[in-house]
Amino acid sequence: MSSSGPSKQEAISEQRESEVAEAASSAALVVMDGNKDGNQQQEEMRSTIMTLREQLRIVTEAQAASQQTIGEYKDMLAEMAKQKELQQNEIATIREMVQNLQSGSSTAGSFQKI
């Protein structure tokens, strides 16, 4: 009986060792899968970040171009306002000259009548 006791114990020990090894192997596979999934998620996040950075760069460049265009439009409007003011001044000068000529011709006409 003493020989069957240790062999039964050995069998139980071997079975436990086998179960522990199998559990460790399964745990290692789960960890490897988790790492693989984690690495894939990290890669997807990196890709998303790179895409967002590129989009931000494009938007920033577009905003800079818009600001430049707005500045150019403001300059054009200021120039147009200046031109309009000059034209209005010229028109006022011409009107004044016409009025002077008209009043001068009426004065000259009245001198001729005398």
PDB file of all heavy atoms in Angstrom, residues 72-97:
ATOM      1  N   GLU A  72      -6.380  91.862 -47.499  1.00  0.00           N
ATOM      2  CA  GLU A  72      -6.327  92.407 -48.856  1.00  0.00           C
ATOM      3  C   GLU A  72      -7.647  93.096 -49.214  1.00  0.00           C
ATOM      4  O   GLU A  72      -7.647  94.170 -49.830  1.00  0.00           O
ATOM      5  CB  GLU A  72      -6.009  91.295 -49.861  1.00  0.00           C
ATOM      6  CG  GLU A  72      -4.597  90.775 -49.746  1.00  0.00           C
ATOM      7  CD  GLU A  72      -4.348  89.516 -50.560  1.00  0.00           C
ATOM      8  OE1 GLU A  72      -5.283  89.023 -51.239  1.00  0.00           O
ATOM      9  OE2 GLU A  72      -3.220  89.010 -50.511  1.00  0.00           O
ATOM     10  N   TYR A  73      -8.773  92.489 -48.846  1.00  0.00           N
ATOM     11  CA  TYR A  73     -10.074  93.108 -49.123  1.00  0.00           C
ATOM     12  C   TYR A  73     -10.211  94.434 -48.374  1.00  0.00           C
ATOM     13  O   TYR A  73     -10.735  95.409 -48.900  1.00  0.00           O
ATOM     14  CB  TYR A  73     -11.224  92.171 -48.762  1.00  0.00           C
ATOM     15  CG  TYR A  73     -11.461  91.066 -49.758  1.00  0.00           C
ATOM     16  CD1 TYR A  73     -11.942  89.829 -49.345  1.00  0.00           C
ATOM     17  CD2 TYR A  73     -11.227  91.245 -51.107  1.00  0.00           C
ATOM     18  CE1 TYR A  73     -12.175  88.803 -50.253  1.00  0.00           C
ATOM     19  CE2 TYR A  73     -11.452  90.237 -52.027  1.00  0.00           C
ATOM     20  CZ  TYR A  73     -11.928  89.018 -51.589  1.00  0.00           C
ATOM     21  OH  TYR A  73     -12.151  88.022 -52.495  1.00  0.00           O
ATOM     22  N   LYS A  74      -9.753  94.459 -47.130  1.00  0.00           N
ATOM     23  CA  LYS A  74      -9.823  95.704 -46.358  1.00  0.00           C
ATOM     24  C   LYS A  74      -8.995  96.784 -47.040  1.00  0.00           C
ATOM     25  O   LYS A  74      -9.429  97.939 -47.128  1.00  0.00           O
ATOM     26  CB  LYS A  74      -9.316  95.475 -44.928  1.00  0.00           C
ATOM     27  CG  LYS A  74     -10.298  94.775 -44.033  1.00  0.00           C
ATOM     28  CD  LYS A  74      -9.742  94.624 -42.631  1.00  0.00           C
ATOM     29  CE  LYS A  74     -10.725  93.942 -41.711  1.00  0.00           C
ATOM     30  NZ  LYS A  74     -10.178  93.767 -40.351  1.00  0.00           N
ATOM     31  N   ASP A  75      -7.813  96.409 -47.502  1.00  0.00           N
ATOM     32  CA  ASP A  75      -6.966  97.373 -48.212  1.00  0.00           C
ATOM     33  C   ASP A  75      -7.654  97.878 -49.477  1.00  0.00           C
ATOM     34  O   ASP A  75      -7.624  99.079 -49.774  1.00  0.00           O
ATOM     35  CB  ASP A  75      -5.605  96.751 -48.569  1.00  0.00           C
ATOM     36  CG  ASP A  75      -4.741  96.491 -47.347  1.00  0.00           C
ATOM     37  OD1 ASP A  75      -5.051  97.031 -46.263  1.00  0.00           O
ATOM     38  OD2 ASP A  75      -3.743  95.736 -47.487  1.00  0.00           O
ATOM     39  N   MET A  76      -8.274  96.950 -50.231  1.00  0.00           N
ATOM     40  CA  MET A  76      -8.980  97.338 -51.455  1.00  0.00           C
ATOM     41  C   MET A  76     -10.134  98.275 -51.136  1.00  0.00           C
ATOM     42  O   MET A  76     -10.347  99.273 -51.833  1.00  0.00           O
ATOM     43  CB  MET A  76      -9.504  96.106 -52.204  1.00  0.00           C
ATOM     44  CG  MET A  76      -8.441  95.363 -52.956  1.00  0.00           C
ATOM     45  SD  MET A  76      -8.991  94.042 -54.084  1.00  0.00           S
ATOM     46  CE  MET A  76     -10.573  93.544 -53.542  1.00  0.00           C
ATOM     47  N   LEU A  77     -10.891  97.955 -50.083  1.00  0.00           N
ATOM     48  CA  LEU A  77     -12.011  98.822 -49.704  1.00  0.00           C
ATOM     49  C   LEU A  77     -11.524 100.201 -49.276  1.00  0.00           C
ATOM     50  O   LEU A  77     -12.150 101.216 -49.618  1.00  0.00           O
ATOM     51  CB  LEU A  77     -12.831  98.170 -48.581  1.00  0.00           C
ATOM     52  CG  LEU A  77     -13.687  96.982 -48.991  1.00  0.00           C
ATOM     53  CD1 LEU A  77     -14.295  96.312 -47.767  1.00  0.00           C
ATOM     54  CD2 LEU A  77     -14.779  97.422 -49.953  1.00  0.00           C
ATOM     55  N   ALA A  78     -10.416 100.241 -48.552  1.00  0.00           N
ATOM     56  CA  ALA A  78      -9.863 101.532 -48.129  1.00  0.00           C
ATOM     57  C   ALA A  78      -9.443 102.341 -49.354  1.00  0.00           C
ATOM     58  O   ALA A  78      -9.704 103.555 -49.432  1.00  0.00           O
ATOM     59  CB  ALA A  78      -8.676 101.313 -47.193  1.00  0.00           C
ATOM     60  N   GLU A  79      -8.811 101.670 -50.311  1.00  0.00           N
ATOM     61  CA  GLU A  79      -8.404 102.345 -51.547  1.00  0.00           C
ATOM     62  C   GLU A  79      -9.628 102.840 -52.321  1.00  0.00           C
ATOM     63  O   GLU A  79      -9.638 103.955 -52.841  1.00  0.00           O
ATOM     64  CB  GLU A  79      -7.561 101.407 -52.414  1.00  0.00           C
ATOM     65  CG  GLU A  79      -7.013 102.041 -53.661  1.00  0.00           C
ATOM     66  CD  GLU A  79      -6.075 103.208 -53.397  1.00  0.00           C
ATOM     67  OE1 GLU A  79      -5.387 103.209 -52.354  1.00  0.00           O
ATOM     68  OE2 GLU A  79      -6.042 104.124 -54.240  1.00  0.00           O
ATOM     69  N   MET A  80     -10.674 101.991 -52.381  1.00  0.00           N
ATOM     70  CA  MET A  80     -11.898 102.386 -53.079  1.00  0.00           C
ATOM     71  C   MET A  80     -12.548 103.589 -52.385  1.00  0.00           C
ATOM     72  O   MET A  80     -13.047 104.507 -53.050  1.00  0.00           O
ATOM     73  CB  MET A  80     -12.875 101.213 -53.153  1.00  0.00           C
ATOM     74  CG  MET A  80     -12.419 100.107 -54.091  1.00  0.00           C
ATOM     75  SD  MET A  80     -13.424  98.608 -53.964  1.00  0.00           S
ATOM     76  CE  MET A  80     -14.963  99.152 -54.666  1.00  0.00           C
ATOM     77  N   ALA A  81     -12.535 103.588 -51.053  1.00  0.00           N
ATOM     78  CA  ALA A  81     -13.111 104.714 -50.310  1.00  0.00           C
ATOM     79  C   ALA A  81     -12.317 105.989 -50.590  1.00  0.00           C
ATOM     80  O   ALA A  81     -12.895 107.075 -50.764  1.00  0.00           O
ATOM     81  CB  ALA A  81     -13.124 104.407 -48.812  1.00  0.00           C
ATOM     82  N   LYS A  82     -10.993 105.848 -50.657  1.00  0.00           N
ATOM     83  CA  LYS A  82     -10.145 106.994 -50.968  1.00  0.00           C
ATOM     84  C   LYS A  82     -10.454 107.526 -52.368  1.00  0.00           C
ATOM     85  O   LYS A  82     -10.595 108.736 -52.568  1.00  0.00           O
ATOM     86  CB  LYS A  82      -8.672 106.550 -50.900  1.00  0.00           C
ATOM     87  CG  LYS A  82      -7.743 107.574 -50.301  1.00  0.00           C
ATOM     88  CD  LYS A  82      -6.291 107.110 -50.359  1.00  0.00           C
ATOM     89  CE  LYS A  82      -5.959 106.210 -49.199  1.00  0.00           C
ATOM     90  NZ  LYS A  82      -4.538 105.821 -49.206  1.00  0.00           N
ATOM     91  N   GLN A  83     -10.579 106.609 -53.322  1.00  0.00           N
ATOM     92  CA  GLN A  83     -10.902 107.005 -54.698  1.00  0.00           C
ATOM     93  C   GLN A  83     -12.267 107.684 -54.761  1.00  0.00           C
ATOM     94  O   GLN A  83     -12.442 108.685 -55.462  1.00  0.00           O
ATOM     95  CB  GLN A  83     -10.880 105.776 -55.633  1.00  0.00           C
ATOM     96  CG  GLN A  83      -9.497 105.204 -55.852  1.00  0.00           C
ATOM     97  CD  GLN A  83      -8.580 106.187 -56.556  1.00  0.00           C
ATOM     98  OE1 GLN A  83      -8.991 106.945 -57.421  1.00  0.00           O
ATOM     99  NE2 GLN A  83      -7.322 106.184 -56.151  1.00  0.00           N
ATOM    100  N   LYS A  84     -13.217 107.142 -54.018  1.00  0.00           N
ATOM    101  CA  LYS A  84     -14.566 107.728 -54.014  1.00  0.00           C
ATOM    102  C   LYS A  84     -14.522 109.142 -53.445  1.00  0.00           C
ATOM    103  O   LYS A  84     -15.149 110.055 -53.979  1.00  0.00           O
ATOM    104  CB  LYS A  84     -15.511 106.849 -53.188  1.00  0.00           C
ATOM    105  CG  LYS A  84     -16.932 107.347 -53.169  1.00  0.00           C
ATOM    106  CD  LYS A  84     -17.830 106.420 -52.385  1.00  0.00           C
ATOM    107  CE  LYS A  84     -19.246 106.960 -52.349  1.00  0.00           C
ATOM    108  NZ  LYS A  84     -20.131 106.131 -51.549  1.00  0.00           N
ATOM    109  N   GLU A  85     -13.750 109.307 -52.380  1.00  0.00           N
ATOM    110  CA  GLU A  85     -13.631 110.637 -51.773  1.00  0.00           C
ATOM    111  C   GLU A  85     -12.985 111.612 -52.768  1.00  0.00           C
ATOM    112  O   GLU A  85     -13.445 112.754 -52.917  1.00  0.00           O
ATOM    113  CB  GLU A  85     -12.792 110.552 -50.496  1.00  0.00           C
ATOM    114  CG  GLU A  85     -12.681 111.864 -49.755  1.00  0.00           C
ATOM    115  CD  GLU A  85     -11.850 111.758 -48.478  1.00  0.00           C
ATOM    116  OE1 GLU A  85     -11.587 110.629 -48.031  1.00  0.00           O
ATOM    117  OE2 GLU A  85     -11.470 112.813 -47.963  1.00  0.00           O
ATOM    118  N   LEU A  86     -11.942 111.161 -53.451  1.00  0.00           N
ATOM    119  CA  LEU A  86     -11.302 112.015 -54.459  1.00  0.00           C
ATOM    120  C   LEU A  86     -12.288 112.392 -55.571  1.00  0.00           C
ATOM    121  O   LEU A  86     -12.343 113.550 -56.008  1.00  0.00           O
ATOM    122  CB  LEU A  86     -10.069 111.323 -55.046  1.00  0.00           C
ATOM    123  CG  LEU A  86      -8.849 111.197 -54.126  1.00  0.00           C
ATOM    124  CD1 LEU A  86      -7.776 110.342 -54.798  1.00  0.00           C
ATOM    125  CD2 LEU A  86      -8.303 112.576 -53.772  1.00  0.00           C
ATOM    126  N   GLN A  87     -13.059 111.407 -56.022  1.00  0.00           N
ATOM    127  CA  GLN A  87     -14.043 111.667 -57.074  1.00  0.00           C
ATOM    128  C   GLN A  87     -15.096 112.658 -56.596  1.00  0.00           C
ATOM    129  O   GLN A  87     -15.502 113.563 -57.342  1.00  0.00           O
ATOM    130  CB  GLN A  87     -14.705 110.361 -57.523  1.00  0.00           C
ATOM    131  CG  GLN A  87     -13.793 109.473 -58.345  1.00  0.00           C
ATOM    132  CD  GLN A  87     -14.428 108.119 -58.645  1.00  0.00           C
ATOM    133  OE1 GLN A  87     -15.439 107.749 -58.065  1.00  0.00           O
ATOM    134  NE2 GLN A  87     -13.802 107.383 -59.557  1.00  0.00           N
ATOM    135  N   GLN A  88     -15.544 112.479 -55.351  1.00  0.00           N
ATOM    136  CA  GLN A  88     -16.549 113.402 -54.816  1.00  0.00           C
ATOM    137  C   GLN A  88     -15.977 114.813 -54.709  1.00  0.00           C
ATOM    138  O   GLN A  88     -16.671 115.797 -54.984  1.00  0.00           O
ATOM    139  CB  GLN A  88     -17.054 112.912 -53.452  1.00  0.00           C
ATOM    140  CG  GLN A  88     -17.960 111.705 -53.566  1.00  0.00           C
ATOM    141  CD  GLN A  88     -18.368 111.131 -52.210  1.00  0.00           C
ATOM    142  OE1 GLN A  88     -17.720 111.373 -51.202  1.00  0.00           O
ATOM    143  NE2 GLN A  88     -19.441 110.362 -52.212  1.00  0.00           N
ATOM    144  N   ASN A  89     -14.706 114.906 -54.315  1.00  0.00           N
ATOM    145  CA  ASN A  89     -14.062 116.222 -54.250  1.00  0.00           C
ATOM    146  C   ASN A  89     -13.964 116.842 -55.641  1.00  0.00           C
ATOM    147  O   ASN A  89     -14.198 118.045 -55.811  1.00  0.00           O
ATOM    148  CB  ASN A  89     -12.665 116.121 -53.619  1.00  0.00           C
ATOM    149  CG  ASN A  89     -12.723 115.848 -52.134  1.00  0.00           C
ATOM    150  OD1 ASN A  89     -13.752 116.054 -51.498  1.00  0.00           O
ATOM    151  ND2 ASN A  89     -11.624 115.369 -51.574  1.00  0.00           N
ATOM    152  N   GLU A  90     -13.611 116.013 -56.634  1.00  0.00           N
ATOM    153  CA  GLU A  90     -13.532 116.511 -58.008  1.00  0.00           C
ATOM    154  C   GLU A  90     -14.897 116.981 -58.496  1.00  0.00           C
ATOM    155  O   GLU A  90     -15.023 118.028 -59.147  1.00  0.00           O
ATOM    156  CB  GLU A  90     -12.974 115.431 -58.935  1.00  0.00           C
ATOM    157  CG  GLU A  90     -11.493 115.169 -58.763  1.00  0.00           C
ATOM    158  CD  GLU A  90     -10.982 114.029 -59.638  1.00  0.00           C
ATOM    159  OE1 GLU A  90     -11.722 113.569 -60.541  1.00  0.00           O
ATOM    160  OE2 GLU A  90      -9.855 113.584 -59.411  1.00  0.00           O
ATOM    161  N   ILE A  91     -15.932 116.192 -58.201  1.00  0.00           N
ATOM    162  CA  ILE A  91     -17.300 116.556 -58.596  1.00  0.00           C
ATOM    163  C   ILE A  91     -17.694 117.877 -57.946  1.00  0.00           C
ATOM    164  O   ILE A  91     -18.261 118.770 -58.599  1.00  0.00           O
ATOM    165  CB  ILE A  91     -18.295 115.422 -58.254  1.00  0.00           C
ATOM    166  CG1 ILE A  91     -18.042 114.217 -59.165  1.00  0.00           C
ATOM    167  CG2 ILE A  91     -19.732 115.905 -58.359  1.00  0.00           C
ATOM    168  CD1 ILE A  91     -18.809 112.973 -58.771  1.00  0.00           C
ATOM    169  N   ALA A  92     -17.382 118.025 -56.662  1.00  0.00           N
ATOM    170  CA  ALA A  92     -17.721 119.276 -55.961  1.00  0.00           C
ATOM    171  C   ALA A  92     -16.974 120.447 -56.584  1.00  0.00           C
ATOM    172  O   ALA A  92     -17.552 121.540 -56.769  1.00  0.00           O
ATOM    173  CB  ALA A  92     -17.375 119.145 -54.481  1.00  0.00           C
ATOM    174  N   THR A  93     -15.713 120.229 -56.941  1.00  0.00           N
ATOM    175  CA  THR A  93     -14.937 121.292 -57.579  1.00  0.00           C
ATOM    176  C   THR A  93     -15.536 121.661 -58.930  1.00  0.00           C
ATOM    177  O   THR A  93     -15.684 122.861 -59.264  1.00  0.00           O
ATOM    178  CB  THR A  93     -13.466 120.839 -57.763  1.00  0.00           C
ATOM    179  OG1 THR A  93     -12.934 120.501 -56.482  1.00  0.00           O
ATOM    180  CG2 THR A  93     -12.623 121.918 -58.398  1.00  0.00           C
ATOM    181  N   ILE A  94     -15.908 120.671 -59.723  1.00  0.00           N
ATOM    182  CA  ILE A  94     -16.521 120.911 -61.040  1.00  0.00           C
ATOM    183  C   ILE A  94     -17.842 121.643 -60.878  1.00  0.00           C
ATOM    184  O   ILE A  94     -18.137 122.601 -61.617  1.00  0.00           O
ATOM    185  CB  ILE A  94     -16.688 119.586 -61.818  1.00  0.00           C
ATOM    186  CG1 ILE A  94     -15.302 119.039 -62.189  1.00  0.00           C
ATOM    187  CG2 ILE A  94     -17.554 119.780 -63.055  1.00  0.00           C
ATOM    188  CD1 ILE A  94     -15.322 117.628 -62.750  1.00  0.00           C
ATOM    189  N   ARG A  95     -18.663 121.252 -59.914  1.00  0.00           N
ATOM    190  CA  ARG A  95     -19.952 121.941 -59.677  1.00  0.00           C
ATOM    191  C   ARG A  95     -19.715 123.416 -59.333  1.00  0.00           C
ATOM    192  O   ARG A  95     -20.417 124.293 -59.804  1.00  0.00           O
ATOM    193  CB  ARG A  95     -20.721 121.248 -58.549  1.00  0.00           C
ATOM    194  CG  ARG A  95     -21.414 119.999 -58.977  1.00  0.00           C
ATOM    195  CD  ARG A  95     -22.305 119.457 -57.874  1.00  0.00           C
ATOM    196  NE  ARG A  95     -22.935 118.235 -58.340  1.00  0.00           N
ATOM    197  CZ  ARG A  95     -23.213 117.202 -57.580  1.00  0.00           C
ATOM    198  NH1 ARG A  95     -22.948 117.240 -56.285  1.00  0.00           N
ATOM    199  NH2 ARG A  95     -23.786 116.138 -58.080  1.00  0.00           N
ATOM    200  N   GLU A  96     -18.717 123.590 -58.460  1.00  0.00           N
ATOM    201  CA  GLU A  96     -18.412 124.966 -58.051  1.00  0.00           C
ATOM    202  C   GLU A  96     -17.952 125.790 -59.259  1.00  0.00           C
ATOM    203  O   GLU A  96     -18.369 126.942 -59.431  1.00  0.00           O
ATOM    204  CB  GLU A  96     -17.309 124.942 -56.985  1.00  0.00           C
ATOM    205  CG  GLU A  96     -17.009 126.289 -56.375  1.00  0.00           C
ATOM    206  CD  GLU A  96     -15.946 126.187 -55.289  1.00  0.00           C
ATOM    207  OE1 GLU A  96     -15.978 125.211 -54.512  1.00  0.00           O
ATOM    208  OE2 GLU A  96     -15.082 127.083 -55.245  1.00  0.00           O
ATOM    209  N   MET A  97     -17.135 125.184 -60.114  1.00  0.00           N
ATOM    210  CA  MET A  97     -16.679 125.882 -61.317  1.00  0.00           C
ATOM    211  C   MET A  97     -17.852 126.184 -62.241  1.00  0.00           C
ATOM    212  O   MET A  97     -17.948 127.290 -62.800  1.00  0.00           O
ATOM    213  CB  MET A  97     -15.630 125.029 -62.052  1.00  0.00           C
ATOM    214  CG  MET A  97     -14.297 124.938 -61.326  1.00  0.00           C
ATOM    215  SD  MET A  97     -13.169 123.731 -62.051  1.00  0.00           S
ATOM    216  CE  MET A  97     -12.883 124.426 -63.661  1.00  0.00           C
TER     217      MET A  97
END
